[in-house]
Amino acid sequence: MKHVHLLSIGYEWVLDHLPEDVALSNSKGAVEDSTAEHCLALILASLRELPRAYQLQTEESWSRLWTSSLHGSNVVVLGVGGVGTAIIERLKPFKPAKITGVASTARTINGGIDVVSIENVHQLLPSAEIVICALPHTPQTQGLIGKEFMDRMRDGALLVNVGRGPIIATAALIKELETGRLRAALDVTDPEPLPVGHALWNAPGCIITPHMAGDTGQFVELVSELATRQVQLLSSGQTPLNLVR
């Protein structure tokens, strides 16, 4: 049996390069918690204006900042898979006014969190202070967050992306950031890596981290344990975990 095991959740990028007779598994369960933790860090850093506070520190300026807050905010989470649900669980202690999930089908999850169908996402945007993308990159999600999507977002809203860069139309986002109408916190971008001199680097109201949400020591430990388990299962003729093909 030929088998490839990925040290990530995302696998769409490898499918075109994988022969049909090769099975594929991912590392579901190893990266969700670290990604959700990083997502919360991005949200809090942006809402509480920590980059501005650090700038004031370097200037030795004791100037208090009045900021927005996760507490009392209306939050929309695009994608309620492993990462999305982990993010939702971490949002709850901050007491947002409302959390709404968005997925391919409407349902209720996690003790009463409403999930709206992706076809109806535009109805949620005018009242959302925070929109979080935790979607995979597929033909259906490519460019999902484009000009029309952003036009419906309320003034001052924060757009967070810990999914995949191409889900957001970068040119449209830059225009919104340059006018100051929207803010963004991005762990993934399009293009990626973001080249030197790209307009997104210095766009106002934007925090960027270099696709590092899962990069923790705990992730390394978990993903190593899973990879070892996969080898043990395969060597004993058993079905490996997390088969995606």
Side-chain angles (χ1 to χ4, degrees):
M1 178 183 182
K2 297 178 181 178
H3 187 95
V4 170
H5 175 70
L6 298 176
L7 304 181
S8 64
I9 296 179
Y11 58 86
E12 69 282 348
W13 54 275
V14 79
L15 293 176
D16 290 340
H17 308 285
L18 203 66
E20 293 184 1
D21 63 338
V22 178
L24 179 67
S25 60
N26 68 358
S27 290
K28 178 181 177 182
V31 72
E32 291 89 338
D33 288 334
S34 57
T35 301
E37 179 181 281
H38 191 81
C39 180
L40 262 291
L42 287 173
I43 292 170
L44 294 172
S46 183
L47 294 180
R48 301 311 301 266
E49 298 190 27
L50 296 190
R52 173 61 179 153
Y54 178 71
Q55 181 181 344
L56 291 171
Q57 177 186 340
T58 62
E59 297 169 357
E60 300 183 13
S61 173
W62 189 271
S63 301
R64 295 172 64 182
L65 299 172
W66 288 89
T67 71
S68 51
S69 172
L70 179 50
H71 182 198
S73 291
N74 189 347
V75 185
V76 172
V77 181
L78 307 177
V80 292
V83 171
T85 54
I87 290 170
I88 288 171
E89 286 304 306
R90 283 160 178 77
L91 288 169
K92 290 178 179 179
F94 290 89
K95 300 180 181 179
K98 186 176 182 180
I99 305 170
T100 306
V102 177
S104 56
T105 57
R107 56 191 186 274
T108 301
I109 63 167
N110 291 29
I113 298 296
D114 292 329
V115 176
V116 174
S117 170
I118 190 70
E119 287 79 9
N120 297 317
V121 65
H122 289 114
Q123 300 175 14
L124 303 174
L125 301 178
S127 61
E129 283 92 1
I130 305 166
V131 176
I132 302 168
C133 177
L135 291 165
H137 180 208
T138 68
Q140 291 71 37
T141 63
Q142 171 86 25
L144 172 69
I145 304 175
K147 183 181 184 303
E148 180 183 358
F149 187 105
M150 294 180 211
D151 283 347
R152 292 177 179 268
M153 292 178 65
R154 64 182 294 167
D155 291 353
L158 172 64
L159 177 60
V160 183
N161 192 3
V162 292
R164 288 292 184 266
I167 299 171
I168 294 179
T170 301
L173 176 60
I174 290 172
K175 288 182 179 180
E176 294 288 0
L177 294 172
E178 288 178 342
T179 66
R181 200 182 73 81
L182 298 180
R183 293 177 287 174
L186 312 172
D187 184 55
V188 290
T189 62
D190 183 29
E192 190 175 303
L194 198 61
V196 172
H198 195 283
L200 200 55
W201 280 118
N202 294 302
C206 184
I207 296 175
I208 299 172
T209 56
H211 204 148
M212 56 177 278
D215 297 352
T216 68
Q218 179 70 0
F219 163 72
V220 172
E221 181 178 333
L222 291 172
V223 82
S224 298
E225 291 174 356
L226 178 57
T228 301
R229 180 60 178 156
Q230 296 290 62
V231 172
Q232 293 171 339
L233 291 170
L234 287 165
S235 63
S236 62
Q238 299 180 65
T239 302
L241 304 170
N242 301 341
L243 275 177
V244 294
R245 196 183 80 173

